[in-house]
Amino acid sequence: MENETKLAAGAMVALGVATAALVVLPYLQVSDVPAPAKLQPYTASQLRGREVYVANGCVYCHSQQPRDRGLGPDAQRGWGRASVPGDYVYDKPHLLGSMRTGPDLFNIGARQPSKDWNLGHLYQPRAYVKESIMPSYPFLFTVKDAGEAQREGEQPLQLPSGFGPAEGQVVVPTPQALDLVKYLQTLDHTYPVLPAPPQP
């Protein structure tokens, strides 16, 4: 019985040390990090778009954490500067991602700010990036008669030739698709994170 007690006590100590080193200390290091001056909180529609991003599993294939130049080629790929803790002040939960089946999206709002491009890419990725393996999300869109969409004042997608619906029909984004694109457009972390050097 004495050996079991020692084993249990040793396991609890090891768990406590690991929790302190991997959870508590990192939390204390970044719990009071201020947001960079130009980082804005999400609007209601952007938060709804973030929920669509999570619900459709975008985080499984896309990261939002470019690495430092010394740790990988992310900057050469055009994904932007390395992220810092302050970039994630308004992200709850954080969507750092763990795989890069697709490109990092930390700066997709700066690299691809076009609403039309993002909507079309969600509807049919291969219409915009031929070798893309990203799934399409047609359920975020509605196919309607062109006249009906015009009467309702809806803005249909301008899809590349050969990727649209049958003649006389148009593809219209749902509110979920519009919110998702608004969220993607906010992913623009091109602001400086270090204060400007003092002027002489």
Side-chain angles (χ1 to χ4, degrees), residues 53-189:
Y53 182 93
V54 171
N56 286 285
C58 304
V59 71
Y60 297 125
C61 294
H62 295 283
S63 61
Q64 291 187 30
Q65 52 174 331
R67 296 171 291 188
D68 186 82
R69 290 178 187 275
L71 300 174
D74 295 359
Q76 295 156 321
R77 292 174 174 156
W79 294 348
R81 63 165 173 79
S83 59
V84 297
D87 293 323
Y88 306 105
V89 166
Y90 301 118
D91 289 6
K92 305 238 179 336
H94 301 103
L95 302 178
L96 302 179
S98 59
M99 279 187 69
R100 286 180 174 167
T101 306
D104 186 276
L105 299 181
F106 185 69
N107 274 312
I108 190 63
R111 293 195 322 263
Q112 193 53 261
S114 167
K115 173 184 166 185
D116 293 336
W117 188 95
N118 278 291
L119 286 168
H121 186 253
L122 286 168
Y123 180 74
Q124 180 47 264
R126 277 148 299 284
Y128 297 83
V129 182
K130 186 178 178 183
E131 66 279 4
S132 176
I133 60 169
M134 176 177 150
S136 57
Y137 295 89
F139 53 87
L140 292 175
F141 300 86
T142 306
V143 176
K144 293 186 171 185
D145 290 331
E148 179 187 355
Q150 188 175 22
R151 281 192 303 276
E152 294 177 1
E154 294 176 310
Q155 186 68 42
L157 300 186
Q158 300 299 317
L159 294 165
S161 178
F163 290 95
E167 191 171 340
Q169 294 187 315
V170 292
V171 177
V172 177
T174 62
Q176 290 82 13
L178 294 170
D179 287 340
L180 175 54
V181 168
K182 285 178 186 173
Y183 169 66
L184 293 173
Q185 289 175 314
T186 66
L187 298 178
D188 178 351
H189 298 91

